[in-house]
Amino acid sequence: MRFWFLRCLNTPCFTALPCKLGEAAARAARSFTSTQTANRRGIAVSGAEIREDFISEEEERALLEELEPVLKRKRYEYDHWDDVSLRISVFSNVSHMMAIHGYRETERSQWNEKNSRVLQRVRDVAFPPGVKQLHLVHVLDLHRKGYIKAHVDSVKFCGSTIAGICLLSSSVMRLISKKIPTDVVDLLLPRRCLYILRDEARYSYTHEILKDEESYFNGVKINRDRRISVICRNLSEDNAE
Ligand code: OGA
Ligand code: MN
């Protein structure tokens, strides 16, 4: 029998209280930790990692200061709210099919010095030395009512690792096994965390960001506000030359 639990792996994230999420969410995260510990042998997905408080409030502010003027010039885009249309996200010649609602996005290769240091920290943690990375960083701004439906990032263009930092709002990322759709793993992504999807989590599961109405973690509501993710990826073998 295959086990599945609300959990994530290798996470220093839940050892400390997930501050700023509120008492109820903090309690849920604590109970989550014991489930994870008790059932360590049942771990079904490898390669999902969350580092809580990866960036400080000041670093979050600095990233927003650089991004906001660019994002503000764009409008949030809404596909069909009742969802049938798939959109192709195109950035850095990387495209994958995903349905996404209430978003605007940009990509950026030049960052100010302070933000470059933060992004270098992401890269150092997420990618082994020598791995060919996309130098354009993908920035996805989700409206508070926006959400991302289940998808797998383009296997053709993106490599084995997706690493994102989360600004402005906590959220719930859901992973669903492509082979066994009842194998569902929810990850709590606290504001200012870094999440990394590698290997199995990246290839064998779809990922999605839940809409506010569905945004619960261990039965606790995780309010979804406007959320910006800043995502680094590596190149697939095909594209690494
Ligand atoms: C994507 C994606 C997740 C996020 O752009 O492919 O899954 O954290 N983004 O915004
Ligand atoms: Mn994705």
Side-chain angles (χ1 to χ4, degrees):
M1 181 181 144
R2 220 175 138 100
F3 295 89
W4 57 271
F5 297 100
L6 297 171
R7 61 179 184 73
C8 55
L9 296 179
N10 307 326
T11 51
C13 53
F14 297 125
T15 51
L17 276 190
C19 40
K20 294 117 204 162
L21 285 180
E23 249 321 288
R27 266 198 312 279
R30 274 198 293 273
S31 67
F32 171 82
T33 308
S34 26
T35 307
Q36 183 195 4
T37 311
N39 295 291
R40 202 166 275 287
R41 276 182 308 124
I43 280 170
V45 184
S46 60
E49 180 179 346
I50 299 161
R51 301 197 179 202
E52 196 185 340
D53 282 327
F54 187 78
I55 59 167
S56 66
E57 289 182 22
E58 201 199 325
E59 288 168 331
E60 180 188 43
R61 254 195 313 275
L63 284 162
L64 288 168
E65 256 170 46
E66 185 164 1
L67 291 173
E68 194 68 301
V70 182
L71 292 169
K72 264 214 313 253
R73 288 201 298 267
K74 299 170 189 270
R75 276 170 191 236
Y76 283 109
E77 293 179 42
Y78 298 89
D79 294 344
H80 301 287
W81 283 94
D82 55 359
D83 172 43
V84 255
S85 77
L86 277 178
R87 144 196 185 257
I88 302 183
S89 167
V90 181
F91 52 92
S92 321
N93 289 329
V94 170
S95 58
H96 51 268
M97 300 286 275
M98 62 192 227
I100 177 169
H101 302 275
Y103 71 97
R104 48 194 184 184
E105 67 187 337
T106 186
E107 54 187 5
R108 201 170 178 82
S109 58
Q110 296 293 323
W111 296 78
N112 70 34
E113 202 185 317
K114 189 170 182 189
N115 293 335
S116 298
R117 278 201 299 273
V118 171
L119 290 167
Q120 191 54 48
R121 234 164 63 214
V122 172
R123 295 184 188 283
D124 290 345
V125 165
F127 305 104
V131 164
K132 288 254 169 54
Q133 301 173 31
L134 279 157
H135 73 277
L136 279 167
V137 177
H138 179 205
V139 176
L140 187 57
D141 177 353
L142 270 189
H143 185 270
R144 71 186 165 82
K145 292 195 174 298
Y147 58 98
I148 302 174
K149 300 281 286 182
H151 67 280
V152 175
D153 285 19
S154 162
V155 175
K156 186 154 188 274
F157 297 106
C158 311
S160 59
T161 305
I162 302 161
I165 39 184
C166 305
L167 315 180
L168 290 177
S169 175
S170 300
S171 63
V172 177
M173 176 176 273
R174 175 162 293 165
L175 307 185
I176 303 181
S177 163
K178 294 197 303 193
K179 278 211 195 103
I180 310 164
T182 50
D183 184 352
V184 177
V185 177
D186 282 346
L187 305 176
L188 176 62
L189 302 184
R191 179 177 181 179
R192 291 190 300 281
C193 79
L194 166 70
Y195 73 85
I196 306 176
L197 301 179
R198 297 187 175 96
D199 307 322
E200 196 186 11
R202 186 257 184 270
Y203 291 115
S204 307
Y205 286 74
T206 60
H207 57 271
E208 61 194 288
I209 297 288
L210 302 184
K211 63 174 94 163
D212 183 49
E213 302 94 279
E214 293 169 4
S215 189
Y216 285 85
F217 184 78
N218 265 9
V220 176
K221 182 74 183 26
I222 306 297
N223 287 330
R224 256 291 319 285
D225 211 325
R226 177 186 175 204
R227 167 187 185 271
I228 298 177
S229 50
V230 179
I231 306 169
C232 299
R233 294 178 170 89
N234 60 338
L235 291 161
S236 66
E237 307 258 304
D238 290 354
N239 282 275
E241 293 147 321

